[in-house]
Every structure is written in structure tokens, then in C-alpha cells.
Amino acid sequence: MKKHTGFCLVAMLIALLLQTTSVGAAEKLTVMLDWFVNPDHAPLIIAREKGFFADAGLEVELIAPADPNDPPKLVAAEKADLAISYQPQLHLQVAEDLPLVRVGTLVATPLTSLVALKDGPIHSIADLKGRKVGFSVGGFEDAVLGAMLAKHGLSLTDVTLVNVNFSLSPAILSGQVDAVIGAYRNFELNQMDLQGKPGRAFYPEEHGVPAYDELIVIAHRDRLDDPRLRSFVDALERGVQYLINHPDESWDAFVGAYPALNDELNRRAWRDTLPRFALRPAALDRARYARFAAFLKERGLIKETLPVGTYAVQLASPWEPAQPQGRKSAGERCRAMRL
């Protein structure tokens, strides 16, 4: 009996040691968000709350930025491992020689839109002639609006642009402007509807602007061979799968982690964002990125179009066959293209 008891104690100690080692082996990974936590980040939150990151051996810290302009800069300075950012901004940042590369996709469709009051005078984009249009971020939003106007025989000179900072919905509701560019279709439209003044949205991808990924995961160009990155993206895919399969349970987990977000606006945004998440976060459509780069060059936002592989990659998977001797890794190929 004593021998049997001793054997059990040894087995228990070994199991405890293995568990402790497993927990201690979790590798830390810092991810800067693009904004404060909201339903756009649902797959990330679910992957964390349901233990998918932990299963991948990762201890992921999600950090909301004090300044939304900071995340790409922090990754470029190697002060954060990853950041959630925007495909359009990536093209501009790479043109400024920031060492950033897309390694995954979070939201695979545009969210930004041109919004006016549903019962107002704007029934088509052509109705914007002589009207005021609010914006929050110059440059890209001007380019999007310009392309949308051109599709309907107008140009930016046919409208008056008004900088409303980030007060997009209030600017429309107060009558300060007739429409706003840059409103998120999953948030501002719901916000307006809840205030009893529904909006009418015009979607850029239906009016002359190539489709693009709204939210992406970016990393430093010199860290693409870090195995944690692929582990992160694979765990993110598990988060998306769970989210799609169990939307109600996922909502409960989301608001359980962030009780302050348990309101009608976020509930509606959750519903509207759900079908827009990338089901295959690692997958890269190179033609889509090349097409959007050509659009930005045409609109004068970048001077040249670079090879897609210099700023967007599909990370190698550990399940793939070993690379032939002498074949470069994704990181090596990316760096070589920049030379």
C-alpha cells in the first residue's frame, strides 16, 4: 500500500511539474489595438477568453492605444510585437519607409462609408453637388470621396469639405454638414438609428473604390520568421470559427470581459460586424493589395507601387512540408525585395 501511495504521489508531482512547465512556457506577445476595445475586435477577445491563444502557447496582451496613431509606430520601433491597423494606412506607411508588413486580416471588407440622413436631401451621390461633407482624417478619406464623386460626374471642388474631427454622427444630426465620409457602417449607422434619425449609406466599394481589408494585423519586417506570429494567426482563426459557430455565447464572453460595452449600440455593431470578419486570417489575396496600391497611386497618395511581397505576406505554417534547401523564408524574401 505504501509503495502504491508513493507511486501515486510521484505521478502527481510529475503531472504538477509538467503543468507548471507548460504554464511557464507561454510566450508573451503584445498586440496594440487600433482603438479602444469594441466589437471590431471580437475574434481577438474570443481567442483570449476561450483559451485559444493559451492553447497555442501564447500569453497575449491586448493594449488599447492612448493615441490611435501610435500602434504602427510602436511596431516599427520594435516596442510592440503586433498591431491592429488598416490596409489603406499600411500602403501609406510603407511608402514612408516604415518597416511594416501585413501578416493577417481581421476585418476583410471595408467598413468606412459615406453617410447622409435617410430622410434628408441626399438620395444619391450626385445630390452632393454644392453640399457640405464632413471628414475626420484627410488624405485617404479625400481620395475615397473623390473617387466616389468621380463615379457620378463630380469632383472634390463640387463639395465643401468640413473637418469635424471624429464627431461624424453629431455633425450630421446637428445639420453642420449634409454627409460625412469615414463613418463606419457598423457603428455610425446604428448610432443614428438609435437616436431616431436613420442614415443612408453609400459604400465605397460600390462606387469606384477597390475593395480592401479594413483591419489587418501588422508586424515588423525583420520579425516575420518569429514562430509566435503564425501561432497567433492560427489561434485568431479559431476565435473567428468559434464566433461564427456560437455568436450568442461569444457575445456573453465579450461583455463578460468588458461589461461597460453591454449596451444596444454595441449589440447592434456586433451583429453587423459578424459577417465581415476574415474566416481565414492568414490568407493573402495579393491581387487585391496590388489593385488597391494602384488606386492610391492614381489618387496621388503614393508615388510608386511596390511589390506586394514587400509589405504583405502569408506566413509559413508548421504544417507545410519543409522548405527545400536554399529556399528563402517569408521574412528573407520580404527583405530581399526591399533591397
Side-chain angles (χ1 to χ4, degrees):
M1 176 65 71
K2 289 183 179 179
K3 183 177 181 181
H4 179 69
T5 303
F7 177 78
C8 289
L9 287 173
V10 171
M12 290 173 63
L13 287 171
I14 292 174
L16 181 61
L17 179 62
L18 289 174
Q19 183 179 15
T20 303
T21 303
S22 175
V23 172
E27 298 188 84
K28 292 185 177 181
L29 194 73
T30 58
V31 180
M32 296 297 302
L33 301 178
D34 57 302
W35 196 246
F36 54 82
V37 174
N38 62 74
D40 291 349
H41 306 128
L44 294 162
I45 306 304
I46 297 306
R48 185 190 66 188
E49 295 302 305
K50 292 299 177 181
F52 302 145
F53 287 140
D55 290 346
L58 299 175
E59 181 184 337
V60 175
E61 183 181 10
L62 304 175
I63 304 173
D67 182 337
N69 294 311
D70 285 347
K73 298 175 184 176
L74 291 172
V75 171
E78 299 187 81
K79 294 182 178 179
D81 297 307
L82 297 170
I84 305 303
S85 192
Y86 312 87
Q87 183 192 332
Q89 296 303 320
L90 174 65
H91 291 276
L92 304 183
Q93 291 155 356
V94 169
E96 296 171 356
D97 208 27
L98 287 183
L100 301 174
V101 178
R102 172 267 180 210
V103 295
T105 299
L106 184 61
V107 175
T109 77
L111 292 178
T112 194
S113 55
L114 174 66
V115 171
L117 284 172
K118 191 173 184 178
D119 60 357
I122 310 302
H123 300 283
S124 71
I125 292 178
D127 294 331
L128 286 173
K129 185 176 177 64
R131 301 283 183 172
K132 295 180 180 179
V133 180
F135 71 96
S136 59
V137 181
F140 175 63
E141 289 183 359
D142 294 353
V144 169
L145 179 60
M148 296 177 75
L149 291 171
K151 187 79 172 178
H152 296 268
L154 302 177
S155 70
L156 289 175
T157 60
D158 290 309
V159 300
T160 300
L161 293 174
V162 179
N163 190 339
V164 298
N165 294 315
F166 291 98
S167 299
L168 297 171
S169 295
I172 300 180
L173 298 177
S174 67
Q176 181 184 359
V177 295
D178 300 292
V180 293
I181 183 68
Y184 269 20
R185 62 195 70 173
N186 57 339
F187 272 93
E188 272 79 9
L189 284 176
N190 284 312
Q191 190 175 48
M192 293 170 68
D193 191 53
L194 288 170
Q195 295 188 38
K197 293 187 176 181
R200 182 194 307 277
F202 302 96
Y203 304 125
E205 66 272 25
E206 296 178 359
H207 296 276
V209 179
Y212 59 89
D213 298 340
E214 187 69 52
L215 290 180
I216 58 175
V217 183
I218 58 174
H220 192 285
R221 185 172 63 217
D222 293 339
R223 293 193 174 185
L224 298 182
D225 297 327
D226 185 337
R228 295 178 302 164
L229 303 190
R230 182 68 202 211
S231 296
F232 172 85
V233 174
D234 287 343
L236 181 61
E237 181 173 323
R238 289 187 66 192
V240 176
Q241 290 172 345
Y242 187 91
L243 181 64
I244 298 300
N245 292 336
H246 309 283
D248 294 336
E249 294 90 335
S250 295
W251 169 255
D252 291 340
F254 180 77
V255 296
Y258 301 94
L261 300 182
N262 190 5
D263 58 31
E264 185 60 22
L265 175 58
N266 282 292
R267 188 182 299 274
R268 292 190 184 194
W270 178 276
R271 173 201 65 199
D272 292 346
T273 313
L274 195 63
R276 301 185 179 278
F277 290 121
L279 298 179
R280 299 167 60 219
L284 172 66
D285 185 340
R286 298 172 63 88
R288 192 180 200 188
Y289 276 67
R291 184 169 59 243
F292 198 77
F295 166 77
L296 293 177
K297 181 182 179 182
E298 178 186 344
R299 303 305 301 184
L301 291 182
I302 59 176
K303 293 181 180 179
E304 61 177 337
T305 56
L306 300 171
V308 172
T310 63
Y311 59 87
V313 300
Q314 181 167 312
L315 295 170
S317 168
W319 305 109
E320 295 178 24
Q323 293 185 7
Q325 189 173 5
R327 183 178 176 183
K328 293 183 172 64
S329 66
E332 292 170 330
R333 291 196 301 273
C334 179
R335 289 189 289 273
M337 288 183 184
R338 298 290 299 182
L339 298 177

